[in-house]
């Protein structure tokens, strides 16, 4: 996270002062600079803290630490510092702290002031505002302020007990500065909880020291018995003590560095940005609706309902049974991995693979029926082969148009499924075999030992099958067919396109035609336009042919419920209202 975390203090003599800050460095540490730059020297100690390697091996020569520098360098002058180090965290010549994040190659550097003049000015201004004008009621608690020019600040002010201070307490704040306002606001709950924990630890340590000092020498009674002295003289004679003295913790700054570095790393890791390229596709919406339906069904199921459910009628809702079958199949390698691996040789890998196996004319007939929404029936002994065939063929359709029964011992009507797998002995009604709205693929044992000797080197088991594709309405070779089918075949025959590229091409084609479906649905179902206008629209969409119209009407059934309800709830267009009147 590109931010700076700083601990600030309100000094009685000099006002708001920055005590300690931790910043993020994405580039390598600069070497050999003379005005407040950092150079790696004198590695003293290393320890692991939450995946960050911490080492106090930085040499920081900022003026705030007492080193010689130009007057233009950032940091307060030495004459403005308290004699008892109330405005100073690290002693003069202290090397400072740095943590190396091995995963991201980011360095977290801690010292009293940022070395860059612009950052010093931003932190200085945030420090002054957090301890003067930008405070919450009660002067203790979180607050947010800032602007585009000087950054946005999350500030948490708090008091530390001090038996020698006016009012027996001193005022501090922990601030987080970054330029991204939205990110900082979204991080408010996280920062509040973690910074509150750091403050509680500091206050707890200081309270123990305060109580011990009060027990040994009560300051309240001593002050009441002391003669009155001028206020200014009392201020000058009572310089602020350092935070290490107030908490009696010599390792305080090392611990704060570790906490601030972890805070920056954790806050940057908890929120990630994702690129959303437009609205979700129809397939995504349909899948989300299916998951919601399945969740509702699983919550409503109980043991009695499962027992009453007939086993002879498989439940299928747009591929639900297929997902269950796939889950069961994925568990099989644990039982018999060799057999499963052997059977997986008899599968279709892609549409291009299937086209090579079936032949161009048979594949075109099969693909035509798939796109038109007709029932596709596969009869085979090998259920895995049928499963793989359906997995490949379903990629041509929108998710909402897919209803699969992967393997059954009886014929199922077309309204229940458009993909049906059957065992060889199942009898199919004669009217289905002669229907123009169904296609049958029979997987038979090949009469020759090597049916496809040159096509498949790693899947010789497919050679033992021959595939017979029949239909009551065979597609003529010279028939134009739907436009999307011709484009799919062009992509499959183009050997310059890999299988992955063909898959992406298929996704684009489906989205293109689903957009046409949406326009037609809005035009006909919502606006109720006359047939003449519908024909004009189809001509504009490039889908006036008979096969394209049938395809659009079938694909209309795959629209998500979300989209349909959204359109139905909109106000009808004035044109449709006038036509009805």
């Amino acid at each position: 996270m590109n931010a700076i975390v700083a601990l600030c203090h309100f000094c009685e003599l000099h006002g708001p002062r920055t005590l300690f800050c931790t910043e993020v460095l994405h580039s390598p540490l600069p070497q050999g600079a003379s005005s407040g730059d950092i150079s790696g020297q004198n590695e003293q100690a290393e320890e692991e803290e939450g995946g960050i390697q911490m080492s106090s091996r930085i040499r920081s020569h900022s003026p705030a630490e007492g080193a010689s520098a130009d007057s233009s360098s950032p940091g307060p002058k030495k004459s403005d510092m308290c004699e008892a180090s109330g405005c100073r965290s690290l002693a003069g010549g202290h090397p400072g702290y740095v943590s190396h994040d091995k995963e991201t190659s980011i360095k977290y550097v801690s010292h009293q002031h940022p070395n860059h003049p612009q950052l010093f000015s931003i932190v200085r201004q945030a420090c002054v505002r957090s301890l003067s004008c930008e405070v919450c009621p009660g002067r203790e608690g979180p607050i947010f302020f800032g602007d585009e020019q000087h950054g946005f600040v999350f500030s948490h002010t708090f008091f530390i007990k001090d038996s020698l201070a006016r009012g027996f307490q001193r005022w501090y704040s922990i601030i987080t500065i970054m330029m991204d306002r939205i990110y900082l606001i979204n991080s408010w709950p996280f920062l509040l909880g973690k910074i509150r924990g750091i403050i509680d630890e500091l206050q707890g340590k200081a309270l123990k020291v305060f109580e011990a000092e009060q027990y040994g020498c009560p300051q309240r009674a001593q002050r009441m018995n002391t003669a009155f002295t001028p206020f200014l003289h009392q201020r000058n004679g009572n310089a602020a003590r350092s935070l290490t003295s107030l908490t009696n913790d010599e390792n305080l700054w090392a611990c704060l560095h570790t906490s601030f570095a972890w805070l920056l790393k954790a806050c940057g890791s908890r929120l990630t940005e994702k690129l959303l390229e437009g609205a979700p596709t129809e397939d995504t919406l349909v899948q989300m609706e299916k998951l919601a339906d399945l969740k509702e069904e699983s919550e409503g199921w109980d043991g009695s309902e499962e027992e009453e459910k007939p086993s002879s009628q498989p439940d299928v809702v747009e591929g639900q049974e297929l997902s269950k079958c796939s889950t069961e199949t994925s568990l099989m390698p644990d039982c018999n991995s060799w057999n499963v691996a052997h059977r997986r040789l008899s599968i279709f890998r892609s549409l291009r693979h299937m086209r090579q196996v079936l032949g161009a004319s048979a594949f075109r007939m099969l693909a035509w029926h798939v796109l038109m929404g007709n029932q596709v029936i596969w009869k085979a002994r090998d259920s895995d082969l049928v499963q793989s065939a359906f997995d490949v063929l379903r990629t041509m359709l929108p998710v909402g148009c897919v209803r699969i029964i992967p393997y059954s011992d009886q014929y199922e009507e077309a309204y229940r499924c458009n993909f049906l797998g059957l065992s060889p002995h199942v009898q199919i009604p004669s009217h289905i075999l002669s229907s123009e709205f169904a296609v049958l693929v029979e997987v038979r044992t090949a009469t020759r030992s090597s049916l496809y000797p040159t096509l498949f080197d790693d899947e010789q088991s497919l050679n033992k099958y021959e595939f017979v594709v029949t239909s009551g309405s065979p597609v003529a070779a010279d028939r134009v067919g739907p436009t999307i089918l011709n484009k799919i075949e062009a992509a499959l025959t183009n050997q310059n396109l890999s299988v992955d590229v063909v898959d992406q091409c298929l996704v684009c084609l489906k989205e293109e035609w689903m957009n046409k479906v949406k326009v037609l649905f809005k035009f006909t179902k919502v606006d109720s336009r006359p047939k003449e206008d519908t024909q004009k629209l189809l001509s504009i969409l490039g889908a006036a042919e008979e096969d394209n119209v049938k395809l659009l009407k079938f694909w209309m059934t795959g629209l998500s419920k979300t989209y349909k309800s959204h359109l139905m709830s909109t106000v009808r267009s004035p044109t449709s209202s006038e036509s009805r009147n």
Side-chain angles (χ1 to χ4, degrees), residues 365-410:
M365 180 192 303
L366 179 62
W368 184 87
H369 283 279
V370 170
L371 293 172
M372 294 294 106
N374 298 334
Q375 190 175 41
V376 178
I377 306 172
W378 280 66
K379 294 183 67 174
R381 296 183 182 275
D382 191 347
S383 60
D384 291 335
L385 178 64
V386 177
Q387 179 90 43
S388 68
F390 290 162
D391 288 342
V392 169
L393 292 173
R394 69 183 298 174
T395 60
M396 291 191 291
L397 293 178
V399 174
C401 295
V402 177
R403 302 181 309 278
I404 298 179
I405 296 180
Y407 207 71
S408 176
D409 290 333
Q410 63 181 15

Side-chain angles (χ1 to χ4, degrees), residues 201-362:
E201 187 176 357
L202 292 175
Q203 290 178 331
K205 292 179 180 180
L207 182 61
K208 292 180 181 179
V209 175
F210 174 80
E211 291 176 346
E213 292 178 348
Q214 288 292 89
Y215 179 79
C217 182
Q219 291 292 317
R220 188 177 299 275
Q222 182 179 355
R223 293 182 186 184
M224 293 179 65
N225 296 329
T226 302
F228 174 78
T229 56
F231 174 70
L232 289 177
H233 173 74
Q234 193 175 37
R235 285 185 61 192
N236 292 331
N238 186 22
R241 294 192 292 174
S242 65
L243 191 57
T244 55
S245 174
L246 294 178
T247 58
N248 193 26
D249 186 358
E250 296 298 330
N251 297 321
L252 174 67
W253 305 118
C255 294
L256 277 180
H257 165 75
T258 303
S259 299
F260 287 174
W262 181 89
L263 185 68
L264 289 170
K265 176 179 172 63
C267 191
S269 302
R270 61 181 293 272
L271 295 178
T272 57
E273 295 180 345
K274 292 184 178 180
L275 178 63
L276 299 179
E277 299 179 354
T281 63
E282 279 300 300
D283 284 358
T284 303
L285 292 176
V286 172
Q287 289 171 349
M288 292 171 60
E289 292 172 355
K290 287 182 182 179
L291 291 176
D293 293 341
L294 288 175
K295 185 177 180 180
E296 292 180 0
E297 291 179 7
S298 62
E299 292 176 354
W301 284 345
D302 55 25
S304 60
E305 290 179 351
E306 292 180 359
E307 291 176 0
E308 294 174 359
K309 198 172 187 180
S311 59
S312 60
Q313 297 290 335
D315 261 350
V316 178
V317 181
E318 296 180 353
Q320 177 181 341
E321 184 67 25
L322 178 61
S323 63
K324 293 180 180 179
C325 183
S326 300
T327 304
E328 295 172 359
T329 306
S330 64
L331 301 176
M332 291 176 60
D334 297 333
C335 303
N336 198 339
S337 59
W338 186 90
N339 287 335
V340 172
H342 179 69
R343 285 198 299 269
R344 282 179 179 173
L345 295 177
S346 304
I347 63 173
F348 294 101
R349 296 171 298 174
S350 63
L351 285 174
R352 178 177 289 171
H353 182 198
M354 179 178 287
R355 187 174 185 273
Q356 292 173 337
V357 173
L358 300 183
S361 59

Side-chain angles (χ1 to χ4, degrees), residues 445-456:
T445 303
T447 56
R448 290 175 291 175
S449 60
S450 181
L451 191 59
Y452 311 107
T454 59
L455 292 179
F456 313 107

Side-chain angles (χ1 to χ4, degrees), residues 179 313 488 506 517 526 549:
M179 302 304 294
Q313 297 290 335
I488 290 175
L506 197 58
V517 168
V526 179
V549 175

Side-chain angles (χ1 to χ4, degrees), residues 520 523-524 528-541 544 579:
L520 183 62
F523 202 81
T524 58
S528 301
R529 298 295 184 94
K531 292 183 178 180
E532 294 77 8
D533 292 346
T534 303
Q535 289 298 325
K536 294 179 181 179
L537 174 66
L538 291 173
S539 299
I540 295 174
L541 296 177
S579 64

Side-chain angles (χ1 to χ4, degrees), residues 47 82 192 194 290 310 375 404 423 432 468 500 549 580:
E47 61 178 319
C82 290
L192 179 60
K194 302 306 177 183
K290 287 182 182 179
Q375 190 175 41
I404 298 179
S423 57
I432 299 297
V468 180
D500 293 334
V549 175
R580 288 195 302 272

